[in-house]
Amino acid sequence: MSLKLTELTYQRDSSDLFSRIAAEPWSVFFDSGFPNIDTGRYDVIAGRPFKTITTVGETTTVTDQSGKQYNTTEDPFGLVRDLLGDREKNLTGLPFCGGAMGYYAYDLGRRIEQLPETATHDIHLPDMAIGLYDWVVIIDHQQRKSSLVSCGR
């Protein structure tokens, strides 16, 4: 697998670019706050991960692009690492070139240590939701460049 870097037209407001894929499954937009915050540098946009990994309690569900899925009780942290596999070294000079994006909720910590259960479970979200992405758009507001980085999956 080799990294491919394609320069895109720079746009000051990345939300316009994200709006084109916002409805796609598992779309993500890490917004630096630029242009509203002049110190923001990188925006990161991706969508349609090749795998998704969600954990609720002791069960983790892995789903591929075709919708095929399986459940496991493996350590979710190790599972993400294993599913990422060997990654090519990022020689692009950009802060990210594809891989895992998502969140680990506080309650996932129960998988590695004893934590008190004092809060009410009033929000029904997974303890972990990670997408594995083989492409990403990086907008560098400092250099005024936009790049599509892909792994060629």
Side-chain angles (χ1 to χ4, degrees), residues 33-90:
F34 191 87
N36 298 322
I37 300 170
D38 287 339
T39 57
R41 179 164 183 186
Y42 294 107
D43 294 341
V44 178
I45 296 172
R48 292 187 176 241
F50 62 91
K51 280 195 187 345
T52 60
I53 310 157
T54 55
T55 299
V56 177
E58 296 294 318
T59 303
T60 299
T61 303
V62 179
T63 307
D64 68 18
Q65 283 178 316
S66 71
K68 182 179 174 185
Q69 50 181 222
Y70 67 90
N71 294 326
T72 181
T73 56
E74 285 181 58
D75 165 45
F77 301 101
L79 184 60
V80 170
R81 183 183 57 247
D82 292 346
L83 289 171
L84 274 172
D86 292 332
R87 303 295 294 172
E88 193 167 309
K89 187 171 175 101
N90 180 1

Side-chain angles (χ1 to χ4, degrees), residues 76-140:
F77 301 101
L79 184 60
V80 170
R81 183 183 57 247
D82 292 346
L83 289 171
L84 274 172
D86 292 332
R87 303 295 294 172
E88 193 167 309
K89 187 171 175 101
N90 180 1
L91 300 174
T92 65
L94 297 171
F96 186 73
C97 62
M101 291 190 278
Y103 73 86
Y104 296 103
Y106 176 82
D107 286 329
L108 189 66
R110 296 186 197 309
R111 297 293 296 265
I112 54 177
E113 66 179 88
Q114 292 288 104
L115 298 171
E117 291 218 31
T118 56
T120 304
H121 291 282
D122 57 346
I123 300 174
H124 301 287
L125 293 172
D127 298 329
M128 179 182 84
I130 301 291
L132 302 183
Y133 297 85
D134 57 2
W135 67 268
V136 64
V137 174
I138 304 285
I139 297 92
D140 181 343

Side-chain angles (χ1 to χ4, degrees), residues 15-29 45-47:
S15 63
D16 291 337
L17 181 59
F18 179 69
S19 70
R20 297 178 195 175
I21 67 156
E24 296 294 323
W26 286 69
S27 295
V28 294
F29 179 21
I45 296 172

